[in-house]
Amino acid sequence: CALTAKHLQDQGYQVEKFRAPQYGTKSAAPVEEYIKGTYGPMDTVSPFAAALLFAVDHFDMGLKIKQALIDNKIVLADRYVPSNIAYQGARIEIPAGKDNFIKWITRIEYDALELPRPDCVIFLHVPPQVSFELARNRASQNNHGQDQYERNLKFQKNVDTMYLSMAKNDNSIKVIECAPDGILLPAGQINTLALNQIKKILSPV
């Protein structure tokens, strides 16, 4: 995200970056408690309830995004509504239930909360096993624990399946293969692949 922002700024675009959850803010406090397990194990919290916690944080972030768009800036969001759909929808096993959940959270976030819809969603696809090992190594190097999502490989596989399914049904979601041979590509190369998709929808400076 940082590399993309720098490249676009070098090209003369005004850019503002956002990241969800907005850790350290009041709107993200319930999300942080949920992720830490304060409300109990992930499986004991309804995916609908969890999705609402993230939606509240998105609402706060959405107000800032709207202002950035009014200021004619390009907005780059490191995770947004599609992440909420993928992570919470992955916990629903029945296909019809997944479809109903997607429609429900979409109505809440985009319609009721009036969050801006993204023009392009970049899914940086990393095989779940590779992602799982990366997260574990990162936690070890930084001497901090992993959250409930990072510790659960089966769940990560379900999220991966959810994202790929969403991409098949939504042309705005672009899948970037970040580890085509099971080895993570250099950040610069991944960034170039992402920029190739982003540039297709940009207007000239």
Side-chain angles (χ1 to χ4, degrees), residues 11-32:
Q11 296 296 311
Y13 294 97
Q14 293 187 46
V15 180
E16 189 161 351
K17 304 193 305 294
F18 296 90
R19 184 171 186 173
Q22 301 177 104
Y23 291 119
T25 66
K26 290 182 179 180
S27 66
V31 171
E32 294 186 66

Side-chain angles (χ1 to χ4, degrees), residues 101-192:
F101 172 80
I102 291 173
K103 293 175 182 177
W104 175 79
I105 196 62
T106 297
R107 286 198 303 270
I108 287 177
E109 298 224 42
Y110 291 135
D111 297 336
L113 299 183
E114 299 181 340
L115 294 174
R117 291 178 180 264
D119 298 297
C120 180
V121 177
I122 303 293
F123 173 39
L124 300 178
H125 181 235
V126 178
Q129 184 64 51
V130 176
S131 179
F132 181 77
E133 294 298 332
L134 287 171
R136 185 162 61 180
N137 292 338
R138 185 169 56 247
S140 177
Q141 291 171 3
N142 296 334
N143 196 29
H144 68 73
Q146 293 176 273
D147 63 38
Q148 295 189 86
Y149 291 148
E150 293 175 328
R151 293 193 300 266
N152 193 327
L153 179 57
K154 179 182 178 181
F155 174 69
Q156 289 188 32
K157 289 180 178 179
N158 290 341
V159 172
D160 182 70
T161 299
M162 189 76 180
Y163 266 122
L164 293 175
S165 176
M166 290 164 60
K168 288 182 180 179
N169 297 304
D170 187 342
N171 291 331
S172 72
I173 301 178
K174 309 301 180 182
V175 180
I176 305 295
E177 293 296 341
C178 300
D181 299 313
I183 300 175
L184 199 64
L185 296 173
Q189 190 171 343
I190 294 173
N191 182 237
T192 297

Side-chain angles (χ1 to χ4, degrees), residues 47-48 51 82-95 97-99 101-102 105 149 155 158-159 162-163 166:
F48 290 86
S83 294
N84 201 10
I85 294 172
Y87 273 83
Q88 306 313 324
R91 299 170 52 203
I92 300 173
E93 296 183 1
I94 302 173
K98 288 183 185 293
D99 292 339
F101 172 80
I102 291 173
I105 196 62
Y149 291 148
F155 174 69
N158 290 341
V159 172
M162 189 76 180
Y163 266 122
M166 290 164 60

